[in-house]
Amino acid sequence: RLTSLERAWILYDVGNSAFVLMIATLVPIFFNALAEAGGVSKVDYLAYWGYASSIVTVITAILGPILGTLADTKGFKKPIFMLCLFVGVIGCCAMGLAGTWLAFLIIFIIAKIGYSGSLVFYDSMLGDVTTPERMDMVSSRGYAWGYIGSCVPFVVCLALVLGSSAVGLSQTIALVITAVWWLVVTLPLLKKYRQINYVEVEQHAIRQSFVRIGQTLKHLPQDKQVFWFLLAFFCYIDGVYTIIDMATAYGTALGLDTTGLLLALLVTQIVAFPSALIFGRLSQKYESKTLIPVCIAAYTGIAVFAFFLKSQWQFWVLAVVVGMFQGGVQALSRSHFAKIIPQEKSGEYFGLFDICGKGASCLGTMIVSVGSQLTGSANVGVGSIAILFVIGFVLFGISTRTEETKQV
């Protein structure tokens, strides 16, 4: 049975996942409509969207560890989390009011930075809201309810968009609905959360946060278990995010219409709900260091399957199988990392974790792009990311062996 604090923490996954689903599905459609109205070509539209995503990645990679280290200071974590939350929520609303493609893109960058920043603090709260032996279960339930909960506002927004002839009004209402949902379900966490693990307030707290992160980076290779895990996570989670990011482009290449694409992504979310719960239940019997390699191996098979993808029914099979393992690998990675780091430095370490997760996303897309261009086949490009899972699998094995050696 979950405690009230654990439930409040899980609810934030339900809130921010609605924003994530909106960004992955409807927001590119809204931007495309504004870009076309502004006379932007298809090529430039894709390029500008890619630039915006890259800017978010770079800024988040720089800010994540800095804010995370600062948030470890007593009394800092919750206020900075709230700041990032409000930046994301207000930005989400403001996107709905943007009248030009450039304004929309700038607001999107700001909102996405707010969202990404909030995750650093949210993930690092796990050690404050539950015990180490419950982390796998609580983290899995967070992802599970995030997947299914995000479908509630999304279905409403999807009905609005598909049932409206004017993109402008439906865009505004859909983004406001998403922002309100995100904020309202976060209120219990804002009310109940208290920072338990921290470092004491020092003079010149901001300057000291830079000193602490410098020391952590300097000594990170000496903590071999964390070091090898972060390298492994960098590889395999990049493959996971690349498959998520490439789903829409792949579906378009197969000739699926917009409605079909959105429904396929919705199916992935729905399947991910019970699957993440199952992995949470399995984590009570098997350790995360046993279950994570199973997920990585499954994703290797998914990448190989994508290599042979040719028809629409195969795309739907892919959507279902991705949903089966997506929540498991993300939730277990988060809780596994939370268990192997110093709790009083959780913000600092989760800043590095966030870099490896969000910052790595460019590597997989580059492999897909280069592979596709060199061979002239999108299938070869997508199939090539199997190498990321193989490397991640090997490096994760080194991390767990390091843990066993340390215990001996």
Side-chain angles (χ1 to χ4, degrees):
R1 183 181 294 275
L2 294 170
T3 65
S4 61
L5 181 56
E6 288 170 344
R7 280 196 296 271
W9 184 84
I10 286 169
L11 276 173
Y12 186 69
D13 248 327
V14 175
N16 75 64
S17 294
F19 177 73
V20 174
L21 189 55
M22 177 65 73
I23 292 295
T25 53
L26 294 177
V27 167
I29 296 171
F30 297 155
F31 175 63
N32 188 29
L34 288 171
E36 283 184 350
V40 178
S41 68
K42 287 286 184 185
V43 174
D44 286 339
Y45 148 71
L46 287 172
Y48 293 152
W49 188 252
Y51 290 146
S53 299
S54 298
I55 289 169
V56 171
T57 299
V58 171
I59 293 176
T60 303
I62 295 170
L63 287 181
I66 297 170
L67 293 177
T69 308
L70 186 61
D72 284 331
T73 305
K74 184 178 181 180
F76 276 50
K77 186 175 289 185
K78 187 174 177 179
I80 304 177
F81 169 73
M82 289 173 66
L83 174 64
C84 292
L85 166 68
F86 291 137
V87 168
V89 168
I90 294 169
C92 186
C93 287
M95 275 194 288
L97 303 173
T100 65
W101 66 268
L102 183 58
F104 186 92
L105 209 56
I106 292 170
I107 297 169
F108 163 76
I109 290 171
I110 295 170
K112 191 79 184 291
I113 290 171
Y115 154 77
S116 299
S118 75
L119 287 189
V120 176
F121 311 116
Y122 170 66
D123 289 342
S124 69
M125 288 176 183
L126 185 57
D128 291 330
V129 302
T130 192
T131 57
E133 60 271 13
R134 290 172 62 84
M135 282 181 180
D136 290 331
M137 182 270 290
V138 173
S139 181
S140 296
R141 290 200 183 183
Y143 273 106
W145 286 105
Y147 287 129
I148 201 69
S150 64
C151 293
V152 176
F154 178 71
V155 168
V156 176
C157 296
L158 185 60
L160 273 172
V161 172
L162 296 179
S164 174
S165 56
V167 174
L169 181 60
S170 62
Q171 166 188 320
T172 303
I173 297 173
L175 287 164
V176 169
I177 288 173
T178 302
V180 170
W181 174 271
W182 185 3
L183 178 61
V184 169
V185 298
T186 307
L187 293 178
L189 181 61
L190 297 181
K191 182 180 179 182
K192 294 177 182 294
Y193 175 73
R194 297 292 180 271
Q195 188 174 357
I196 298 172
N197 300 293
Y198 52 79
V199 295
E200 290 293 340
V201 179
E202 300 171 313
Q203 281 190 322
H204 312 296
I206 295 177
R207 189 172 70 190
Q208 286 302 315
S209 71
F210 280 96
V211 173
R212 288 206 309 275
I213 192 170
Q215 291 173 342
T216 298
L217 289 172
K218 181 180 178 181
H219 297 295
L220 185 61
Q222 296 172 14
D223 190 345
K224 295 192 183 324
Q225 184 186 2
V226 174
F227 178 71
W228 285 111
F229 172 77
L230 284 174
L231 289 180
F233 182 70
F234 181 90
C235 292
Y236 72 74
I237 208 67
D238 184 22
V240 171
Y241 287 142
T242 300
I243 286 177
I244 295 170
D245 292 341
M246 294 303 294
T248 303
Y250 228 7
T252 303
L254 290 172
L256 283 174
D257 60 12
T258 302
T259 306
L261 269 177
L262 296 175
L263 289 175
L265 290 170
L266 188 61
V267 165
T268 299
Q269 297 289 112
I270 294 170
V271 171
F273 170 64
S275 300
L277 289 178
I278 289 169
F279 273 105
R281 187 66 61 87
L282 287 172
S283 69
Q284 295 173 8
K285 186 176 182 181
Y286 304 99
E287 294 184 7
S288 54
K289 65 181 182 183
T290 302
L291 295 172
I292 290 174
V294 172
C295 295
I296 300 173
Y299 263 100
T300 307
I302 288 169
V304 173
F305 180 78
F307 177 81
F308 298 100
L309 199 66
K310 290 182 179 178
S311 59
Q312 291 189 12
W313 72 265
Q314 290 173 316
F315 180 84
W316 282 85
V317 170
L318 191 71
V320 171
V321 178
V322 165
M324 288 170 62
F325 294 96
Q326 183 175 304
V329 72
Q330 289 177 304
L332 292 172
S333 297
R334 176 169 64 185
S335 54
H336 180 80
F337 188 67
K339 285 184 286 187
I340 64 175
I341 61 173
Q343 290 304 315
E344 72 278 4
K345 295 183 178 180
S346 60
E348 184 178 323
Y349 274 83
F350 268 103
L352 299 174
F353 182 82
D354 195 62
I355 286 180
C356 292
K358 305 296 186 299
S361 58
C362 58
L363 181 61
T365 50
M366 184 178 71
I367 290 174
V368 172
S369 300
V370 172
S372 299
Q373 285 189 321
L374 289 178
T375 63
S377 168
N379 292 68
V380 173
V382 174
S384 298
I385 62 173
I387 192 170
L388 289 173
F389 295 116
V390 173
I391 295 172
F393 187 92
V394 172
L395 293 176
F396 187 82
I398 294 173
S399 174
T400 54
R401 283 196 296 275
T402 303
E403 176 194 3
E404 290 163 2
T405 303
K406 188 163 63 175
Q407 288 174 348
V408 172

